[in-house]
Amino acid sequence: MHARPLPEAIVDAHHHLWLLDQGHYPWLQDEYDANAFFLGDYAAICEDFGPIHYRHRTRPLPIRATVHVEAERARNEALAETAWLHEVHAQAGMPNAVVAYVDFGSPDAATALQQQAAFPLVRGIRCKPKTSPNATTSVRNQPGTMQDERWLSGLSLLERHGMSWDLRVPYWHLAEAADVAAQFPSLPIVVNHLGLPWDRSDEGLAAWRQGMEALAGHDNVHVKLSELGLRDAAWNTDENARLIREAVDIFGWQRCMFASNLPVSGLSVDMATLIETVSQGIAHLTDEARRAIWHDNALRFYRIAI
């Protein structure tokens, strides 16, 4: 593998932090289920991952700012997670933006969103819609899905607070997500983890491309170049770089941003290999475009001032 020079500056648009004595994280502490997790065995991350661990893992990368995305802390502690992250920022200088959690389907969604919006680092919300377990099963129109009017009503509240939505669904739901994007053309949306192209067969990738193209047809939708790990396969730098290049070609470099998904990504790949993979995937672009993907686009999307 040919190692490329490090980018001059990086904004990590998606990572997580947790200290297990500072909050309750059911999926890490008392509801471990490797069968349900998209990468399988995740015992290696069921331990503290704070700013010190993050900086150790990302050394010597030129990280200028980071975005913390809600880490599935106990849902009754969503506001406490945001408050804790602000304490972490005051002490460690990171994260520089927070994507918090609000249940869009809750009767209290408006109040919860107003409470989250009172914190100065909160820029957006991630509330995962209900999804089906595979591409051959449908949950359309069920409560909590992207067709649920109450859930959509909660999502619509983001605009009044000037917030964005972090969209995290597997590839077989991307076309449905495009229908949602069409309903909210003024809402900034960012697709997490390259749309999760888990099926690398010709048929699976064709479905992924179709969904990504549907989303890219809406100017308010962006994409994170992150988390290409697979449950039952080793990291394939060349294949993953090709998918990154395709995503950039579909969305345009102006709507793509780098993200590490630490510490989860560490189950599949080390940071040096991840940086090399992204570098390979965007090597065909101009210097301006590469800098935008590594740094500028995330600053703009999440309104981060350095």
Side-chain angles (χ1 to χ4, degrees):
M1 179 166 49
H2 174 65
R4 302 168 199 274
L6 291 178
E8 294 181 1
I10 295 174
V11 175
D12 185 350
H14 192 118
H15 71 88
H16 310 287
L17 300 172
W18 50 70
L19 297 179
L20 300 182
D21 64 351
Q22 298 293 310
H24 183 208
Y25 298 83
W27 68 288
L28 295 170
Q29 292 170 296
D30 51 27
E31 296 177 5
Y32 181 87
D33 186 355
N35 292 324
F37 194 63
F38 73 102
L39 290 174
D41 178 12
Y42 63 97
I45 61 171
C46 295
E47 59 186 24
D48 286 350
F49 191 80
I52 292 174
H53 307 92
Y54 177 90
R55 288 193 167 119
H56 176 75
R57 196 76 66 86
T58 57
R59 189 178 297 126
L61 299 175
I63 306 289
R64 302 292 183 244
T66 78
V67 180
H68 185 280
V69 178
E70 63 90 15
E72 297 197 24
R73 187 161 160 173
R75 293 321 192 188
N76 63 351
E77 297 182 9
L79 204 63
E81 180 183 43
T82 300
W84 174 70
L85 290 166
H86 280 70
E87 294 173 4
V88 171
H89 170 82
Q91 296 165 3
M94 66 169 291
N96 307 93
V98 171
V99 177
Y101 174 80
V102 167
D103 180 0
F104 293 150
S106 168
D108 300 323
T111 299
L113 189 56
Q114 189 169 9
Q115 291 173 328
Q116 292 284 9
F119 285 90
L121 295 178
V122 172
R123 297 291 185 270
I125 299 294
R126 183 170 77 165
C127 175
K128 299 175 186 176
K130 181 176 182 178
T131 57
S132 60
N134 52 60
T136 60
T137 306
S138 175
V139 293
R140 287 186 69 92
N141 300 310
Q142 293 183 22
T145 63
M146 289 182 285
Q147 297 81 38
D148 176 5
E149 289 300 327
R150 188 166 81 169
W151 192 90
L152 290 170
S153 177
L155 173 64
S156 73
L157 299 174
L158 293 180
E159 291 189 66
R160 72 173 62 168
H161 293 286
M163 290 188 186
S164 58
W165 177 38
D166 264 59
L167 163 65
R168 197 274 198 190
V169 294
Y171 75 90
W172 55 85
H173 284 285
L174 295 177
E176 295 174 48
D179 293 338
V180 176
Q183 295 178 53
F184 303 102
S186 299
L187 174 65
I189 299 171
V190 59
V191 182
N192 289 183
H193 308 331
L194 215 77
L196 294 172
W198 289 334
D199 181 354
R200 302 295 173 86
S201 68
D202 290 345
E203 182 182 11
L205 288 178
W208 170 75
R209 290 186 195 100
Q210 186 175 16
M212 293 288 274
E213 288 167 356
L215 278 164
H218 303 284
D219 292 340
N220 56 320
V221 182
H222 301 64
V223 63
K224 294 182 181 181
L225 311 181
S226 61
E227 195 48 83
L228 284 155
L230 296 174
R231 182 185 186 93
D232 298 315
W235 184 268
N236 185 323
T237 294
D238 291 341
E239 178 182 72
N240 289 335
R242 284 195 299 272
L243 293 180
I244 288 169
R245 180 166 185 159
E246 283 196 55
V248 173
D249 290 345
I250 290 170
F251 277 84
W253 59 264
Q254 298 89 342
R255 290 191 282 159
C256 298
M257 61 189 84
F258 166 77
S260 73
N261 198 34
L262 282 171
V264 178
S265 60
L267 296 170
S268 304
V269 65
D270 61 81
M271 281 300 296
T273 304
L274 176 60
I275 295 297
E276 168 61 23
T277 302
V278 177
S279 296
Q280 184 175 318
I282 64 175
H284 63 296
L285 301 174
T286 65
D287 289 347
E288 176 193 10
R290 291 197 300 270
R291 178 180 172 84
I293 288 172
W294 286 118
H295 183 270
D296 299 349
N297 291 343
L299 286 185
R300 186 179 307 111
F301 185 87
Y302 286 113
R303 307 185 309 283
I304 299 171
I306 298 180

